[in-house]
Amino acid sequence: MTSTTGAGRTERIEFEGSQNARLAARLDLPEGEPRAHALFAHCFTCSKDIFAAARISAGLAERGFAALRFDFTGLGASGGDFANTNFSSNVEDLVRAADWLRANRRAPDLLVGHSLGGAAVLAAAADIPEARAVATVGAPADPAHVAHNFRADIERIVAEGEAEVRLAGRSFTIRRQFLEDIAGQRLAERIAALKKALIVFHAPLDATVGIDNAGAIFQAAKHPKSFVSLDDADHLLTRRADAAYVADVLASWAARYLPKPEAAEHRRLQPEPGELIVYEAGTGKFAQVVDDGEHRLLADEPESFGGTDTGPTPYGYLAAALGACTTMTLRMYADRKGWPVEWIATRVRHEKVHARDCADCEAKAGKIDRLGRSIEVWGDIDEEQRARLREIADKCPVHQTLERRNLIETEIRQVAE
């Protein structure tokens, strides 16, 4: 279902969440083609339609963003049982939302989280590689902070396994597993490993999540990072001006880290059947998008080589091709033979070595590429079967392509602007 808003239109959508329930969502769209896509996570026991979520998403749409907001499992219009959820399931719901965007629109460039939703986007960011920037609004530095909302009931929850608690005038069932899950989170470690631009919005007088939480998040993060004080705003941003301010600052700040408009235009290129396109992502010196028409992947270089480490290196994809081909080939062979092979994993390592150290190589000077392959097989197979699998691994098509001399033909086509 589609409805119009002041910014453009809003689409109602559904997707499957972490516990296989249908999650309700809204996609706020700008007039015209979106400049970027954002994913918004709401606060604890709230919904996608709470004022802060709705106003910030609408504000982003007014500034050219497509913004997806959804109800976590068991909340709002989403299915599922809230009592069975926890912080980890919320994180997985976020990843599922990003998967929907990736499959139906474009993977989110920006992650935004309010209150506990802010902690959730920090935890989920590593599993959404396309996201370039993360924003938190009144977020706790530790998910366990949320337990203060029902601290009077904690002993009963622990003793009885669950308890009905009152939160914002409504009853919710909180189970012991929820407490155990939030207690086991290590959010500071995830923040330190974020590798994305971060902006922290927090009100100094926030009575629900103290300003010290913003300091802890900011301290744990590496640059680039920014902090914006929300002055006398309340935790839920109930004043329209406060939510509008967050949207305005956020859109301006994020533009620095999002794909350049000219790079976004390249995303419209469609590979021909059997063809694969690799083009610059526009988000770093070496960052690339790998597109075969059905799947989009990222390639990059590590930060130590001047990249932004948003995806495997070109040699990483080469190793991946060999590993995937090896495992597929062994699976087909084992199944055809009816051998009891339960699972196969292939480890691949690429390195440059001196030719003089390779006894079986024709070249004896300079350096050569060496791909080391270690295959792990789960199942009750004997020595003879294991030896045969070793032989079959060398027959995988990618292995044979790499070993023989190959012809690579190149042409340069100038594209007019």
Side-chain angles (χ1 to χ4, degrees):
M1 180 180 295
T2 301
S3 61
T4 59
T5 68
R9 65 189 189 281
T10 295
E11 293 183 359
R12 294 184 181 182
I13 61 170
E14 287 187 344
F15 59 91
E16 190 173 274
S18 61
Q19 299 184 2
N20 302 320
R22 300 300 293 176
L23 304 190
R26 291 178 182 268
L27 182 64
D28 295 315
L29 294 163
E31 294 286 357
E33 190 71 17
R35 62 187 287 196
H37 286 65
L39 176 57
F40 189 99
H42 63 69
C43 51
F44 182 55
T45 70
C46 299
S47 80
K48 67 182 182 304
D49 298 317
I50 192 172
F51 183 80
R55 188 67 192 92
I56 292 174
S57 293
L60 287 173
E62 291 169 1
R63 293 157 181 82
F65 288 75
L68 179 69
R69 49 191 165 103
F70 69 97
D71 293 326
F72 285 112
T73 300
L75 294 171
S78 287
D81 186 353
F82 175 81
N84 293 330
T85 67
N86 51 39
F87 183 76
S88 294
S89 70
N90 285 351
V91 171
E92 180 58 26
D93 282 349
L94 268 167
V95 174
R96 296 290 185 92
D99 290 343
W100 186 91
L101 273 174
R102 184 182 297 109
N104 295 277
R105 298 285 178 164
R106 198 175 81 204
D109 308 283
L110 171 65
L111 306 178
V112 187
H114 178 212
S115 193
L116 190 63
V121 297
L122 290 170
D127 294 320
I128 308 175
E130 300 92 338
R132 299 287 181 260
V134 179
T136 65
V137 184
D142 183 349
H145 179 278
V146 76
H148 87 280
N149 290 285
F150 47 86
R151 56 181 174 270
D153 301 289
I154 290 178
E155 288 187 9
R156 186 158 54 97
I157 295 170
V158 173
E160 300 177 12
E162 64 178 51
E164 290 286 326
V165 304
R166 296 287 293 178
L167 298 170
R170 294 176 293 159
S171 292
F172 294 91
T173 298
I174 303 292
R175 291 180 174 159
R176 186 190 299 121
Q177 61 86 17
F178 182 93
L179 296 177
E180 294 171 347
D181 182 76
I182 56 176
Q185 300 296 326
R186 298 291 180 269
L187 191 59
E189 297 175 7
R190 300 193 193 188
I191 297 171
L194 197 59
K195 294 182 179 179
K196 302 177 191 294
L198 172 67
I199 187 168
V200 178
F201 293 90
H202 215 108
L205 302 180
D206 190 327
T208 303
V209 179
I211 188 65
D212 55 312
N213 286 271
I217 293 172
F218 194 84
Q219 185 66 31
K222 294 181 172 61
H223 285 290
K225 57 184 178 180
S226 303
F227 171 78
V228 176
S229 173
L230 296 181
D231 196 22
D232 60 347
D234 60 28
H235 181 69
L236 294 179
L237 303 184
T238 53
R239 290 188 311 205
R240 179 178 297 272
D242 293 326
Y245 176 72
V246 170
D248 194 27
V249 174
L250 179 55
S252 297
W253 170 85
R256 184 180 184 90
Y257 305 101
L258 299 180
K260 299 174 183 177
E262 60 267 28
E265 291 296 317
H266 296 168
R267 295 174 187 264
R268 298 177 183 174
L269 292 174
Q270 292 297 320
E272 299 294 332
E275 183 183 59
L276 180 145
I277 298 177
V278 181
Y279 56 83
E280 292 181 312
T283 56
K285 183 177 181 180
F286 298 117
Q288 309 284 316
V289 176
V290 182
D291 191 342
D292 68 357
E294 295 293 334
H295 312 94
R296 282 179 180 166
L297 307 172
L298 295 174
D300 206 339
E301 290 288 349
E303 293 178 352
S304 58
F305 284 90
T308 49
D309 201 22
T310 56
T313 67
Y315 277 113
Y317 277 112
L318 181 67
L322 176 61
C325 182
T326 300
T327 302
M328 292 176 184
T329 301
L330 294 183
R331 170 51 61 196
M332 288 190 293
Y333 186 82
D335 287 352
R336 188 167 66 245
K337 290 292 187 179
W339 290 355
V341 175
E342 300 173 7
W343 200 52
I344 307 168
T346 302
R347 301 175 187 266
V348 182
R349 178 181 295 275
H350 169 263
E351 56 186 340
K352 297 278 189 179
V353 299
H354 290 286
R356 63 176 178 270
D357 296 329
C358 178
D360 299 325
C361 298
E362 295 181 6
K364 296 302 178 184
K367 286 190 173 184
I368 61 171
D369 293 279
R370 179 166 67 189
L371 288 163
R373 180 173 54 185
S374 174
I375 304 168
E376 301 171 1
V377 179
W378 280 256
D380 187 18
I381 59 174
D382 57 32
E383 289 293 330
E384 183 177 346
Q385 290 170 326
R386 191 164 67 215
R388 183 56 179 158
L389 289 177
R390 169 66 180 80
E391 296 174 2
I392 295 301
D394 289 348
K395 298 182 183 297
C396 108
V398 172
H399 179 116
Q400 295 181 340
T401 296
L402 290 171
E403 281 201 327
R404 61 175 172 254
R405 291 184 179 273
N406 299 287
L407 176 64
I408 300 175
E409 298 179 335
T410 304
E411 63 172 329
I412 301 292
R413 292 184 291 179
Q414 184 174 2
V415 180
E417 293 295 337

